[in-house]
Amino acid sequence: MDLHLSEDVATPEERAAVDDLLGPPDTGWEGGERRSELEGHYARGGEDARERRHLLLPALHAVQGRIGWISPGALNYVCQRLTVPPAEAYGVASFYAMFSTEPRPALVVHVCDDIACKTAGADELCADLEASVGAPGSAAAGGTATWMRSPCLGLCEKAPAVLVQEAGEETNDRSVAPATADGVKALLAGSSPDGARSVTGSTPQQGSKGLRLLRRIGEIDAESLDDYRAVGGYSALRRAIDLGPAGVLREVTDSKLMGRGGAAFPTGVKWKAVAEQTVQPHYIICNADESEPGTFKDRVIMEEDPFAVIEAMTIGAYATASEQGYIYIRGEYPEAQRRLQNAIDQARGRGFLGDDVMGEGFRFDIEIRRGAGAYICGEETALMESIEGKRGEPRNKPPFPVHVGLFNKPTAMNNVETLINVLDIVSEGGPAVAAIGTEGSTGPKLFCLSGCVEKPGLYEVSFGATLRELLEMAGGVRGGRDLQAVLLGGAAGVFVRPDELDMPLTFEGAREAGATLGSGVVMVFDDTVDLKDILVRIAAFFRDESCGQCVPCRVGTVRQEEALHRILNGSTNGSVGDELNLLSEIELVMKDASICGLGQTAAGAIQSAVHRLGLFDGRENG
């Protein structure tokens, strides 16, 4: 491939960052010593070049993590090493919010101002920082640090939250929650304030009897394979091998396990479709890019029970004849990534991953791919594009991933919560797990409670519990105040009124009520919260996170936010009713014509606030 590079040259430190990931260059074609007798042989192009494209995202992370930004020279060197056209590489680097193609200090503190953190005082925190440090992007600590506003960081139960990115040879990204203005100032000055986030304490039910998905959390050392095995870890994989691939598929199908990421697709159907494909190889992916505002369940599982995720993926690989797995984890989860990598390393070292898993003659291994701040990459085809080293833009379907997925091969993809359900299904049998919950919604379910609730955190209930019962488990509305509304399902979900709390938390119950369980978000708003302000933040979130590929979503999310601003500013084009009608028309177009679920659901919460809560006709308080 003939690359047209600019004249910019990578610094030795930038080259070292890339070489530490990819190894030293072989030839002058990719930035090494020029040896004329080899260059014709080693020039990369065609299929060879495409095989290396999937390393683009890790290479960009390597530069960003070492230097703090991706310079033109560094981008040139990455392109040279991977044989990627510079225009395409720049398109990828500029797509993800965690990458910077402009000079930036080595230390950046990302302050979440999304809906959960906004409810917990993020606006006041940011106002304090603007007054004392300067506007977002302003230099602090002599130009060595800065702060920025951020969308949801997945720490909603401990809001307000911040993420610290610190460039250097050793990765030192970390989260702090709950955050204070003084704490952020200390971080900007290079010190660690008191109250740095502990990864425990997000599960108020910890130690309770009857838990399934959360039963190991707090009971074992999350970094010890021996502890995991001492409480039955890897017995499910042994049982799966005894059953054989067909037996595992039968149990998962009989369990009626539905996907827990929001789409609620039958897991057994998906796995069987991949297993039946004659094209090889097959892939299995754990979608750990939970970026829905208000969602943090997968983060807690990955941090506190990482070996369960690895074991469940291995069972899925065995059932679907997949030899390679990927965990695509959102870039804002540094602790979860560290613990998962530790679990993978230990499992591989003990024969639970590798060329001969458990001595049973099947091969499977897992690689972690870190996202870089793109909500759209939670969509399965956008996620696969990202792994392949491309912009995270959704594909048209069909073909579906079970037929043409990652690297155009059959691919099974499930989120963390879905996967860990498989352990009990294999151990106890599908029918036994199907007996839990209801006919249409089987098994246990995780819900993320945040906002104005006494005991925010991750809760497990059996399908069929009501929203009222869940809120009572969390201690009710904080301070005994009046409930104004509940956001169910996240920013892509719907608002629920106080008189609808007896809604059963099942797929069918939510559908009947005109709601959605989505990714398990239950965000509570008391009577002190300005819901109109929350709506504007939701609209801004979708405007920012639209990948821009299709016109209905790219334009519709902008027009939706503009209409809300006109209503709230009193500068409507006609009456408020005219603007509300426009919002309804925008929703209809986005829902009918957008390529993926982002555009199709971007107006859901806003429309429910208008029509369900009567937010603009005085009914919002009951």
Side-chain angles (χ1 to χ4, degrees):
M1 183 180 294
D2 188 14
L3 299 180
H4 297 278
L5 305 174
S6 70
E7 296 180 357
D8 299 285
V9 178
T11 66
E13 190 176 11
E14 290 168 339
R15 291 169 62 98
V18 178
D19 292 346
D20 284 349
L21 173 75
L22 303 177
D26 294 326
T27 76
W29 282 96
E30 52 176 26
E33 180 183 356
R34 288 200 172 273
R35 297 171 57 193
S36 59
E37 73 275 15
L38 295 178
E39 286 181 4
H41 178 70
Y42 281 103
R44 299 190 184 276
E47 184 176 350
D48 194 21
R50 289 191 292 273
E51 287 179 353
R52 292 169 63 83
R53 176 66 180 263
H54 72 100
L55 297 172
L56 179 57
L57 199 63
L60 294 175
H61 266 301
V63 176
Q64 179 76 39
R66 180 76 63 89
I67 311 299
W69 71 292
I70 301 167
S71 72
L75 195 65
N76 271 345
Y77 188 63
V78 169
C79 292
Q80 203 171 7
R81 291 298 317 271
L82 298 179
T83 326
V84 176
E88 294 186 22
Y90 180 82
V92 173
S94 59
F95 182 83
Y96 297 94
M98 293 182 73
F99 294 148
S100 176
T101 56
E102 299 292 335
R104 203 164 73 175
L107 192 150
V108 180
V109 180
H110 300 267
V111 181
C112 178
D113 66 353
D114 221 314
I115 47 181
C117 287
K118 177 183 281 289
T119 303
D123 286 344
E124 292 76 12
L125 190 159
C126 289
D128 189 320
L129 292 175
E130 290 199 30
S132 56
V133 178
S138 299
T144 62
T146 190
W147 73 283
M148 304 173 66
R149 287 178 177 261
S150 169
C152 184
L153 295 172
L155 296 161
C156 312
E157 83 281 24
K158 294 177 177 291
V162 304
L163 171 72
V164 183
Q165 278 186 291
E166 188 172 4
E169 289 193 21
E170 297 295 329
T171 301
N172 196 28
D173 291 358
R174 58 198 183 278
S175 301
V176 176
T180 64
D182 287 342
V184 174
K185 293 170 193 174
L187 288 168
L188 290 169
S191 63
S192 295
D194 294 336
R197 182 179 71 86
S198 168
V199 295
T200 59
S202 296
T203 50
Q205 295 169 293
Q206 183 175 309
S208 299
K209 293 182 179 180
L211 295 177
R212 288 176 166 269
L213 305 180
L214 302 180
R215 66 180 180 271
R216 286 177 291 271
I217 291 182
E219 303 301 308
I220 63 171
D221 180 354
E223 300 194 53
S224 170
L225 176 56
D226 288 332
D227 272 21
Y228 180 68
R229 295 190 66 191
V231 294
Y234 278 100
S235 60
L237 179 56
R238 172 58 64 190
R239 172 62 176 158
I241 293 170
D242 292 340
L243 289 170
V248 174
L249 291 174
R250 181 185 64 249
E251 299 298 345
V252 173
T253 301
D254 289 349
S255 74
K256 302 179 184 177
L257 175 64
M258 309 287 274
R260 305 296 202 241
F265 190 84
T267 304
V269 173
K270 181 184 292 186
W271 284 14
K272 186 171 185 290
V274 173
E276 290 176 344
Q277 299 304 306
T278 57
V279 176
Q280 292 290 338
H282 298 175
Y283 294 99
I284 185 168
I285 299 174
C286 173
N287 184 345
D289 191 61
E290 59 169 7
S291 303
E292 185 70 46
T295 312
F296 50 87
K297 57 188 175 63
D298 290 352
R299 188 206 88 230
V300 174
I301 295 297
M302 290 186 288
E303 289 177 346
E304 296 298 336
D305 202 6
F307 289 101
V309 181
I310 305 306
E311 182 182 8
M313 279 191 74
T314 309
I315 293 171
Y318 180 66
T320 59
S322 301
E323 292 188 353
Q324 179 64 45
Y326 289 92
I327 300 176
Y328 188 95
I329 187 169
R330 68 176 300 192
E332 296 90 343
Y333 283 177
E335 182 65 16
Q337 179 180 351
R338 188 185 69 79
R339 290 200 166 183
L340 280 173
Q341 189 61 60
N342 171 71
I344 290 170
D345 293 343
Q346 289 195 48
R348 188 183 294 124
R350 300 277 283 274
F352 294 107
L353 291 173
D355 292 333
D356 187 17
V357 175
M358 293 180 71
E360 294 293 337
F362 77 93
R363 180 188 183 283
F364 179 63
D365 213 336
I366 298 173
E367 182 177 342
I368 294 177
R369 284 299 170 88
R370 183 186 180 196
Y375 170 78
I376 188 62
C377 287
E379 197 278 337
E380 59 180 359
T381 61
L383 185 154
M384 291 185 289
E385 291 285 292
S386 185
I387 290 178
E388 292 178 12
K390 304 169 187 173
R391 292 166 64 90
E393 296 177 342
R395 303 172 183 173
N396 285 312
K397 294 183 285 189
F400 294 97
V402 293
H403 302 118
V404 181
L406 185 66
F407 306 123
N408 294 322
K409 302 299 182 182
T411 303
M413 187 183 301
N414 303 100
N415 78 334
V416 172
E417 183 188 354
T418 307
L419 285 168
I420 63 170
N421 270 275
V422 171
L423 301 177
D424 282 355
I425 290 169
V426 170
S427 298
E428 301 176 18
V433 175
I436 301 169
T438 67
E439 179 67 22
S441 303
T442 63
K445 180 74 183 79
L446 299 178
F447 288 96
C448 312
L449 269 74
S450 63
C452 306
V453 65
E454 287 285 1
K455 296 184 289 184
L458 182 61
Y459 288 83
E460 176 185 324
V461 296
S462 296
F463 272 115
T466 66
L467 184 54
R468 186 184 305 277
E469 291 169 341
L470 190 60
L471 294 184
E472 289 173 353
M473 290 172 64
V477 180
R478 187 175 58 206
R481 298 199 66 94
D482 290 336
L483 174 66
Q484 184 176 183
V486 175
L487 180 58
L488 189 61
V494 300
F495 284 97
V496 174
R497 299 188 307 270
D499 63 350
E500 298 179 293
L501 296 185
D502 292 318
M503 174 194 305
L505 295 173
T506 61
F507 296 123
E508 62 272 22
R511 281 194 299 269
E512 184 177 345
T516 176
L517 300 185
S519 54
V521 174
V522 178
M523 195 176 297
V524 179
F525 300 100
D526 66 19
D527 56 358
T528 67
V529 176
D530 183 350
L531 283 185
K532 295 174 182 176
D533 193 33
I534 297 295
L535 285 197
V536 171
R537 185 63 186 88
I538 291 173
F541 173 82
F542 282 114
R543 176 208 65 206
D544 289 340
E545 297 297 339
S546 172
C547 75
Q549 181 181 195
C550 69
V551 173
C553 180
R554 182 177 71 240
V555 177
T557 52
V558 174
R559 297 292 176 258
Q560 176 174 255
E561 185 189 14
E562 290 173 346
L564 284 173
H565 278 295
R566 287 195 299 270
I567 293 172
L568 298 181
N569 294 337
S571 57
T572 59
N573 294 329
S575 66
V576 171
D578 291 335
E579 295 287 4
L580 296 179
N581 288 335
L582 176 61
L583 283 172
S584 295
E585 292 173 2
I586 291 171
E587 181 216 15
L588 182 62
V589 172
M590 287 198 293
K591 182 184 291 186
D592 287 349
S594 294
I595 288 176
C596 79
L598 189 153
Q600 293 162 12
T601 60
I606 292 167
Q607 287 298 307
S608 69
V610 172
H611 299 292
R612 201 180 197 114
L613 302 183
L615 194 60
F616 296 103
D617 63 10
R619 291 192 286 119
E620 61 266 31
N621 292 316

